[in-house]
Amino acid sequence: MKAMICRELDEQARLKLQDVPPPDLEPGGVRVAVAAAGLNFADTLMLAGRYQERQQPPFAPGMEVAGRVVETGAGVTGLKPGDRVMAAVGAGGYAEQVIAAAADVIPIPDEMDFVTAAGFPIAYGTSHHALTARAGLKAGEVLLVHGAAGGVGLTAVEIGHALGATVIATAGSAEKLAVAQAHGADHLINYRDEDVKAKVRAFTAGRGVDVVYDPVGGELFETSLRCTAPEGRLLVIGFACGEVPQIPANLLLVKNLTVIGYYWGAYRRSHADELRAGFQELLGWYREGRIKPKISATFPLEGANEGLDLLRRRGSTGKVVLKIDQNL
Ligand SMILES: NC(=O)c1ccc[n+]([C@@H]2O[C@H](COP(=O)([O-])OP(=O)(O)OC[C@H]3O[C@@H](n4cnc5c(N)ncnc54)[C@H](OP(=O)(O)O)[C@@H]3O)[C@@H](O)[C@H]2O)c1
């Protein structure tokens, strides 16, 4: 099978299209013929050797796919060859075939195409579980989403809106803020040239926000601590800016704040049923048109390097997807 292979970890790693043997099917596994694969900022971290889950070269990156079931391993029930599915996989998605654990495989609704499905599991799965199960976001609360036009950010905007929260979106350009607005953001802040704290105060009549969703990190995180309402909750989602923030505990004490670390990958094993129920709610919202996944760019399998470069230079909104086999 063809796959885009990393031979050396590097900040600017270049993948090469190669013919490699298909991965072995093990008990509990599902072989998926990949129609499309989602790109994630975390792929760039894994290729640089800076991601929490390490892979040793040679390997194909790719954490999420959509396609058709080819065969199932021992012990797998409820899935059969030919089924249209999406799946989170640790790595290996930039390839014509991948093995997913059955628990990570979700059937795709008829009305959802493979490209949309390929970008769905990680971003929507993360934002939904983080905002509902961990932050307990409620209707009527105010949610601040940073990097709001990015992969996870845009889904947090949509999910916050769907849950009945008022959503304040931040991003680095007017174009990106317009995307966030089109997906349900009520208020917009350009964090390149506007004062985030002052604008949040103005939008909330001085009270601050109830929940912060932060995939960006750096000094923005401390700013968030300063514009969170008493008893506010802050979700630490990622550090796309490259800087891990330090937390001044005095700010937590004074306002009774809660900082919540969130890593979806760990919940895939420990909370599989809860995540599955979350996907059923999300797919229901998709059918009702309440969430509209945005794919801003697609590339063929051999264009994976270009797609990754787009993420590295902040050039995408929503998701970037590889189209691998459109005949499936
Ligand atoms: N905790 C979890 O379970 C989980 C799950 C998925 C993703 N994540 C993490 O969330 C972060 C975002 O992932 P993603 O796939 O959504 O990425 P993405 O689509 O590339 O979006 C990242 C956003 O961050 C902003 N950003 C700010 N500084 C940046 C910089 N120096 N380089 C790149 N982007 C920068 C960009 O928006 P502006 O240009 O508007 O600033 C961009 O839209 C990553 O750190 C990822 O590892 C965590």
Side-chain angles (χ1 to χ4, degrees), residues 40-42 45 51 122 126 147 149-153 171-173 176 191-192 215-216 236-242 262-265 311-312 314 316 318:
N40 283 276
F41 189 82
L45 300 177
Y51 192 59
I122 293 181
T126 297
V152 288
S173 72
K176 288 190 174 183
Y191 48 39
R192 278 196 208 248
V216 176
V236 177
I237 299 294
F239 316 110
C241 83
Y262 187 85
Y263 175 42
W264 185 72
L311 295 184
R312 291 183 180 111
R314 300 160 83 160
S316 63

Side-chain angles (χ1 to χ4, degrees), residues 99-314:
I99 306 295
D104 292 327
V105 177
I106 297 156
I108 303 175
D110 291 343
E111 53 271 64
M112 185 184 274
D113 60 64
F114 283 132
V115 169
T116 303
F120 201 89
I122 293 181
Y124 281 102
T126 297
S127 296
H128 185 273
H129 193 240
L131 289 171
T132 57
R134 294 288 274 133
L137 180 67
K138 292 185 268 309
E141 290 192 316
V142 182
L143 168 68
L144 174 63
V145 179
H146 294 312
V152 288
L154 196 57
T155 62
V157 169
E158 287 192 317
I159 291 166
H161 180 73
L163 291 170
T166 297
V167 180
I168 303 176
T170 72
S173 72
E175 294 73 25
K176 288 190 174 183
L177 288 170
V179 170
Q181 187 171 37
H183 286 255
D186 300 283
H187 304 290
L188 311 173
I189 305 173
N190 185 331
Y191 48 39
R192 278 196 208 248
D193 54 24
E194 292 183 305
D195 181 336
V196 172
K197 183 174 150 192
K199 295 226 65 163
V200 167
R201 290 229 163 137
F203 292 142
T204 59
R207 183 176 162 272
V209 302
D210 299 289
V211 174
V212 178
Y213 183 96
D214 185 11
V216 176
E219 65 184 36
L220 197 55
F221 189 82
E222 183 161 337
T223 303
S224 303
L225 287 168
R226 294 180 189 281
C227 49
T228 306
E231 298 196 326
R233 295 91 77 198
L234 298 95
L235 285 161
V236 177
I237 299 294
F239 316 110
C241 83
E243 205 186 307
V244 178
Q246 302 302 305
I247 298 172
N250 57 320
L251 298 184
L252 307 187
L253 181 152
V254 169
K255 289 200 285 181
N256 291 307
L257 302 181
T258 305
V259 175
I260 305 167
Y262 187 85
Y263 175 42
W264 185 72
Y267 285 121
R268 277 165 54 203
R269 290 292 158 267
S270 62
H271 290 61
D273 291 344
E274 204 170 294
L275 295 190
R276 206 164 261 281
F279 277 115
Q280 291 321 311
E281 177 162 48
L282 286 164
L283 291 173
W285 289 349
Y286 174 80
R287 285 192 201 91
E288 293 162 11
R290 294 173 67 193
I291 54 173
K292 295 190 166 60
K294 179 172 173 62
I295 315 292
S296 63
T298 62
F299 295 88
L301 177 60
E302 59 274 21
N305 289 312
E306 287 168 71
L308 290 166
D309 284 343
L310 201 57
L311 295 184
R312 291 183 180 111
R313 65 168 189 269
R314 300 160 83 160

Side-chain angles (χ1 to χ4, degrees), residues 24-32 69-77 79 98-105 269:
D24 293 334
L25 183 64
E26 291 179 354
V30 178
R31 184 183 302 283
V32 178
V69 173
V70 177
E71 56 174 332
T72 57
V76 175
T77 55
L79 291 166
V98 71
I99 306 295
D104 292 327
V105 177
R269 290 292 158 267

